[in-house]
Amino acid sequence: QTNTEQSIASAKANVMIYDDSNKKWNPSGTTPGLSKVQIYQHLLNQTYRVVGRKIQDHEVVINCLLQKNLKYNQANQTFLQWRDSKQVYGLHFQSKDEADMFTQTLKMAVDNL
Ligand SMILES: CCOC(=O)[C@@H]1C[C@@H](CC)[C@@H]2C=C[C@H]3CCN(C(=O)[C@@H]4CC[C@H]5C=C[C@]6(CCCN6C(=O)[C@H](Cc6ccccc6Cl)NC(C)=O)C(=O)N54)[C@@H]3C(=O)N12
């Protein structure tokens, strides 16, 4: 069945992955740059995932299923981060409003799980 997933949040952000060994943030994907990041809700099995694609070349730079009791943190006005079993993701938004909207939706999704 088509469109089993619907986008419930969309924003532009720099998608970052934390390099724990070097204690630094690296851009996710092959080149740094802005991505369109969305939260998709799967309508049949009520799961949610964060998918991000580079604006320039559509490279998928994040495709993260949101787990129940995910630990996330809005570290500052434009930076949202969360960790899963493997790594720490960071989304660096262009505006506080986009960060707030995205974080609110992520919270709602996780609370629904
Ligand atoms: C010119 C300076 O360069 C910057 O501004 C760099 C580049 C900026 C653009 C990408 C980016 C933006 C914003 C700031 C905001 C602060 N910050 C950090 O990294 C802080 C500083 C210390 C460092 C230490 C650890 C680290 C890294 C990985 C995870 N984590 C934790 O603390 C987690 C957090 C957490 C809490 C609760 C739930 C989930 C999670 Cl994930 N805790 C735990 C218990 O998991 C973290 O967030 N850290 C960013 C930053 O510096 N930068």
Side-chain angles (χ1 to χ4, degrees):
Q1 180 197 351
T2 57
N3 64 31
T4 51
E5 286 187 89
Q6 70 176 14
S7 172
I8 58 173
S10 181
K12 290 197 182 113
N14 282 288
V15 181
M16 316 296 288
I17 304 283
Y18 192 68
D19 173 354
D20 213 51
S21 44
N22 297 314
K23 301 284 178 240
K24 66 188 272 292
W25 291 94
N26 295 320
S28 179
T30 46
T31 59
L34 217 46
S35 292
K36 179 177 182 179
V37 191
Q38 297 184 301
I39 301 178
Y40 284 103
Q41 175 181 11
H42 193 289
L43 298 171
L44 300 180
N45 57 24
Q46 282 309 308
T47 58
Y48 300 85
R49 61 177 170 151
V50 177
V51 179
R53 296 179 185 84
K54 295 289 287 300
I55 303 279
Q56 188 205 354
D57 58 10
H58 312 298
E59 178 192 12
V60 176
V61 292
I62 183 170
N63 180 10
C64 172
L65 184 70
L66 298 181
Q67 305 291 349
K68 192 171 172 54
N69 55 54
L70 174 103
K71 299 278 180 284
Y72 61 90
N73 175 46
Q74 189 167 359
N76 66 35
Q77 292 205 340
T78 56
F79 192 70
L80 170 66
Q81 57 189 164
W82 70 90
R83 56 177 191 257
D84 67 12
S85 52
K86 293 189 300 296
Q87 54 197 3
V88 180
Y89 301 93
L91 300 183
H92 198 221
F93 295 95
Q94 294 194 295
S95 73
K96 177 183 176 332
D97 289 351
E98 281 189 298
D100 289 348
M101 175 279 293
F102 202 90
T103 304
Q104 284 292 336
T105 309
L106 184 116
K107 177 183 178 345
M108 181 272 294
V110 171
D111 291 347
N112 267 0
L113 290 175

